[in-house]
Amino acid sequence: MIIEIINDCELAFQLDGDWLKAGDFKSEKSALIPPLAQTTVEIAPSAVEGVSGVAWWVDVTGHSVYLSMAMSKPRIGKNTFSCYAGLPPPNLKTILSKAPKLESATTEASFPGQGPGCEWVATKQGVRVRIFSELDEFVPPTASDLSPKEQSETEGAEGAEGAEGAEGEVEHVPSTSSTALAIPGAYGGKEGGDFMALTRPKDGTDGLVRGLKTAGVSVAGGLVTIVAAPVAGARSGGATGFVKGLGVGVLGGAAMAVGGVGCGIAQVGRGLMQAPKAARARREEKVWDQELGKWVDVDLCALERQMAQETDKDTSSTPGGSGEPHSDGQVADTEYYDLLQIQPNANPSEIKKAYYKEARLCHPDKNPGDAEATAKFQKLSTIYQVLSDPELRKKYDRDGKDGVDKQKTVQMDPRAFFGLLFGSERFEPWTGELLIAAQADHFTKANEDDEMSELEKSLKKRQLRREVACAVNLRERCARYVYGRDTEGFKAQMRKEASELASSQFGPELLQALGEMYLVRSEIYLANELHGRISLTKSRASMKHNGLVLKHRLRFYKNAAGSLIKAGKVYSAASKFSKEEPTQTEGEGPPLSEEQAQEVERVMDDALPLFLQTAWSYVVRDIDRTVRDVGRKFLQDKSVPWQIRIRRAEALKLLGEIFQAEATAAKAAGPEQGADGTAKAVLQEAMLGAMR
């Protein structure tokens, strides 16, 4: 197939990507489409299928003007063609199946095919395309592009979708505007959902799993009822009670089993009904929202804006939590602010960043044997205790250190503890707040009257914010590759950042965990889009991902079991010494001798490395789940065209390879974190820095 291109604009174009189901480029891929000139691109057909696929070019100067083509010239059948010049279409891949038939010219100078920024006509050997002189530029969307009016329209659409009662409808959005894409349920819409939606399986496999689980639980419950009812009857009524209990147990157990099996069959049926919709939704790169029981689009810009608005509401409703300046800067004492190198009117976010920055510089692990650095590290913890507490900060601003010395109570900040323990503060743009830190912080601050459902809902909201923030970070970090086409610059920048991240606590391990998941998520996406969902390439990528997740899960279970055994040994050692002498006061044991205390400490020190490894393996599983969902928001973001999503996947793959390489190099240069000789020191330093 020969594509004759008449370029009437002043821009030169270079090939940016292609996806050919049949055929291959015969022309040099590196050849430019020159400005104000005519050129030819030739694609050699395959022996059986001819030519079928898509290709796109981008201007070599600003990389913001696209030339996108979808073409098909089969051995048997009609030729089809579609072209876009200027802005890329929302999904070039789907254009291929919808491309119109190639029409021949009715007059010598006519171009019957019309598209944005171009026109075309069939020739004997292929197609002739004319690019117009004036073309639109593609500008990457941002959260600020979503106006308040568009935001309210999106929210209104979400409400309408929430009221929909159809069984698992796939959400369709008629508008091609990115801001019109809906983000319901877990993707930014209304919380909760009705019972039918919450229990709706997403596809046939999910329906089978749910059905078997429901039936299995019900049958097991029925068997328990059959056994337990006559036993309970015999205890209360003897032989007569046994007979009555047996009758009640048989009837109740049978009813429970039959009902459960019926519900299981219904779930399998619902899953089978969902299968065609699930297949279509996956082709359209939608994600499953269990709260609404439907497949939805992801719009990262809309999510980013919504999360920012919710964060502003939460911080403004919290005393001292606003992002606005704290005061007019008139305070009684500035020593604490000076040590953090911030102004007295700094907001809480600035205080937190300054604390972590200064704490890293004087961390005892970075300054072994330096008493002055250790003293400063401890003082910074005291300062953060005051300035991070709104009431204590007010007292300090009004009365200076004398006003807070008597008010301070020693407590541990779980977020700071895990941030210092696993070095996650430096990784926060990449991993977000670790789940183990969020859980500890949340349950520490929770009131006794708070219901568990409310706590879970709050944690879920924090997790969603975390995922959106990480996806936005990936979008910004990968922009140099995705939009700037600066591959070498992107690699150099990421290597430098990865090398710096590797120097933090658990840095190599965090890099390894992130790099592995970035690589497999990008490979799965590229396999889906470029090879097919039932291709061998996709199967290999999915097996690699599942194997990695299974390995991390088994490692966690192994470490958790080992930790329970070690904890039992610590308890046994402490209990052994407490029982060696009779107690002087009821309920209290005698004080341990120095030798006994040393023995208990020895057993504890022996257990610490495994305790630390268990916590770390929990963090790895958290990263696995989080990166999976972050990857969906980053790679299936409908606010950008399909061609951009492909480039994002390529950038993520490069990033995964770079992170793994830097992690391997860092591990080879230093001891493993959490080893026997370092576990106690690591925990003590993190606890010391987290004391408030």
Side-chain angles (χ1 to χ4, degrees):
M1 182 176 186
I2 295 179
I3 306 172
E4 301 172 20
I5 302 174
I6 304 170
N7 186 6
D8 288 346
C9 75
E10 298 180 350
L11 298 172
F13 294 88
Q14 63 184 4
L15 187 67
D16 193 46
D18 66 88
W19 174 66
L20 295 177
K21 296 170 64 178
D24 198 4
F25 271 84
K26 190 173 182 179
S27 304
E28 287 292 334
K29 288 189 174 184
S30 59
L32 297 181
I33 298 176
L36 305 173
Q38 182 171 338
T39 189
T40 299
V41 174
E42 185 173 359
I43 300 177
S46 66
V48 178
E49 299 178 83
V51 173
S52 179
V54 301
W56 63 97
W57 292 256
V58 66
D59 72 291
V60 298
T61 52
H63 307 108
S64 57
V65 180
Y66 288 75
L67 176 62
S68 310
M69 298 183 189
M71 66 208 80
S72 177
K73 189 181 181 183
R75 295 289 183 180
I76 301 175
K78 64 180 182 180
N79 300 341
T80 61
F81 186 83
S82 187
C83 186
Y84 291 72
L87 299 179
N91 194 326
L92 181 61
K93 184 181 175 183
T94 61
I95 297 295
L96 179 62
S97 61
K98 303 174 183 178
K101 180 182 177 182
L102 260 176
E103 300 288 347
S104 301
T106 55
T107 63
E108 186 176 347
S110 67
F111 286 82
Q114 299 287 329
C118 62
E119 56 188 5
W120 60 87
V121 62
T123 63
K124 290 182 179 181
Q125 295 180 305
V127 63
R128 181 181 298 116
V129 180
R130 187 172 77 86
I131 303 172
F132 298 160
S133 58
E134 298 293 331
L135 300 175
D136 293 329
E137 293 186 21
F138 173 75
V139 179
T142 64
S144 60
D145 295 335
L146 188 61
S147 66
K149 179 181 178 182
E150 291 168 327
Q151 176 74 5
S152 63
E153 289 173 352
T154 302
E155 291 169 354
E158 292 163 12
E161 287 149 5
E164 183 181 345
E167 178 76 12
E169 283 295 315
V170 179
E171 174 194 339
H172 290 284
V173 183
S175 173
T176 57
S177 168
S178 65
T179 56
L181 295 172
I183 46 172
Y187 292 90
K190 50 191 287 186
E191 296 177 357
D194 60 27
F195 176 77
M196 293 298 290
L198 290 171
T199 59
R200 182 176 296 139
K202 66 180 180 181
D203 55 21
T205 302
D206 189 31
L208 179 62
V209 171
R210 288 169 179 259
L212 291 175
K213 187 181 295 184
T214 301
V217 170
S218 300
V219 170
L223 292 174
V224 170
T225 302
I226 292 174
V227 174
V231 172
R235 288 179 177 176
S236 60
T240 304
F242 176 83
V243 174
K244 290 182 178 179
L246 181 62
V248 171
V250 169
L251 290 175
M256 185 180 297
V258 171
V261 171
C263 290
I265 294 173
Q267 284 291 74
V268 173
R270 295 176 78 193
L272 292 175
M273 290 175 61
Q274 281 288 100
K277 298 171 184 175
R280 185 179 65 187
R282 288 192 173 102
R283 287 196 303 269
E284 297 173 356
E285 298 184 63
K286 296 178 183 289
V287 296
W288 177 252
D289 188 321
Q290 189 61 66
E291 288 191 8
L292 291 180
K294 61 165 53 175
W295 294 88
V296 298
D297 286 309
V298 176
D299 183 333
L300 185 55
C301 290
L303 279 170
E304 179 187 7
R305 181 182 178 91
Q306 182 171 336
M307 294 301 102
Q309 290 174 340
E310 291 184 2
T311 301
D312 289 343
K313 290 178 183 178
D314 291 346
T315 54
S316 62
S317 63
T318 303
S322 173
E324 297 298 320
H326 170 70
S327 67
D328 58 3
Q330 299 299 319
V331 296
D333 188 356
T334 64
E335 180 184 348
Y336 286 2
Y337 296 106
D338 294 340
L339 284 171
L340 290 181
Q341 300 185 35
I342 56 175
Q343 296 298 318
N345 62 349
N347 61 46
S349 177
E350 293 170 337
I351 291 173
K352 178 183 175 183
K353 290 179 181 178
Y355 166 67
Y356 279 124
K357 178 182 177 182
E358 295 298 321
R360 281 201 308 268
L361 294 176
C362 60
H363 196 287
D365 191 41
K366 302 284 186 184
N367 305 274
D370 189 339
E372 185 178 346
T374 302
K376 184 179 180 182
F377 185 72
Q378 294 172 337
K379 187 165 186 178
L380 286 171
S381 299
T382 302
I383 292 172
Y384 186 60
Q385 173 196 348
V386 172
L387 298 185
S388 62
D389 185 302
E391 295 302 320
L392 287 179
R393 185 179 179 186
K394 286 180 182 179
K395 288 182 171 64
Y396 174 76
D397 288 348
R398 185 180 64 244
D399 305 322
K401 289 191 292 184
D402 293 340
V404 297
D405 282 342
K406 296 180 181 180
Q407 300 289 333
K408 289 184 291 186
T409 57
V410 178
Q411 55 182 322
M412 188 179 73
D413 181 351
R415 298 174 68 182
F417 172 73
F418 288 108
L420 293 169
L421 178 61
F422 294 121
S424 57
E425 187 274 330
R426 297 186 70 179
F427 278 87
E428 190 164 336
W430 301 95
T431 65
E433 181 186 31
L434 296 177
L435 180 61
I436 191 172
Q439 289 173 329
D441 178 62
H442 202 76
F443 287 112
T444 299
K445 295 178 180 178
N447 298 321
E448 293 182 359
D449 298 333
D450 290 343
E451 296 183 4
M452 185 59 65
S453 60
E454 292 299 319
L455 296 177
E456 291 176 354
K457 189 180 294 184
S458 180
L459 279 173
K460 184 176 181 180
K461 184 179 291 186
R462 288 175 74 159
Q463 178 66 14
L464 177 59
R465 290 178 183 174
R466 172 191 182 187
E467 293 167 6
V468 172
C470 291
V472 169
N473 174 68
L474 280 177
R475 183 188 67 193
E476 302 305 320
R477 300 302 177 94
C478 294
R480 189 169 185 174
Y481 176 92
V482 175
Y483 299 117
R485 272 73 180 181
D486 182 8
T487 302
E488 294 307 316
F490 171 73
K491 289 180 178 179
Q493 178 186 352
M494 290 300 100
R495 285 195 192 100
K496 180 181 178 182
E497 182 157 358
S499 178
E500 294 173 352
L501 290 171
S503 64
S504 62
Q505 200 83 269
F506 276 88
E509 289 78 9
L510 277 168
L511 278 177
Q512 183 72 28
L514 285 170
E516 288 176 338
M517 288 304 295
Y518 285 164
L519 192 58
V520 295
R521 295 311 305 179
S522 62
E523 288 176 346
I524 287 175
Y525 181 83
L526 290 172
N528 277 338
E529 297 303 312
L530 303 182
H531 298 277
R533 296 184 177 275
I534 57 174
S535 64
L536 184 60
T537 304
K538 167 63 186 301
S539 298
R540 284 199 299 262
S542 296
M543 289 176 61
K544 183 178 177 181
H545 172 266
N546 295 337
L548 184 64
V549 172
L550 179 61
K551 181 180 75 172
H552 293 163
R553 182 185 300 156
L554 293 177
R555 183 182 298 165
F556 169 71
Y557 291 152
K558 176 185 176 182
N559 289 336
S563 293
L564 288 175
I565 295 173
K566 290 286 187 181
K569 291 181 178 179
V570 173
Y571 177 78
S572 297
S575 301
K576 172 187 174 183
F577 293 127
S578 65
K579 294 177 180 178
E580 285 184 353
E581 298 180 17
T583 57
Q584 302 299 320
T585 306
E586 185 177 354
E588 295 182 1
L592 298 179
S593 66
E594 183 177 348
E595 184 177 340
Q596 292 171 337
Q598 289 177 351
E599 176 62 19
V600 173
E601 184 178 359
R602 185 193 64 77
V603 176
M604 176 64 77
D605 290 348
D606 182 59
L608 284 180
L610 189 54
F611 290 165
L612 188 56
Q613 287 300 321
T614 302
W616 168 245
S617 57
Y618 182 82
V619 168
V620 172
R621 292 197 65 200
D622 169 39
I623 290 175
D624 286 349
R625 291 187 294 264
T626 300
V627 173
R628 178 198 63 194
D629 292 333
V630 168
R632 287 172 178 165
K633 292 174 176 62
F634 177 61
L635 298 176
Q636 296 175 242
D637 173 21
K638 294 294 185 64
S639 69
V640 295
W642 176 79
Q643 292 132 282
I644 298 299
R645 299 198 289 273
I646 291 294
R647 289 197 62 82
R648 284 185 177 181
E650 293 170 351
L652 193 64
K653 185 176 181 180
L654 281 176
L655 188 59
E657 292 170 350
I658 291 170
F659 274 20
Q660 288 193 81
E662 292 298 326
T664 301
K667 286 180 178 179
E672 181 183 1
Q673 295 291 347
D676 293 355
T678 63
K680 184 175 183 180
V682 167
L683 286 166
Q684 287 177 338
E685 290 163 5
M687 190 169 293
L688 182 65
M691 287 301 179
R692 296 174 46 187

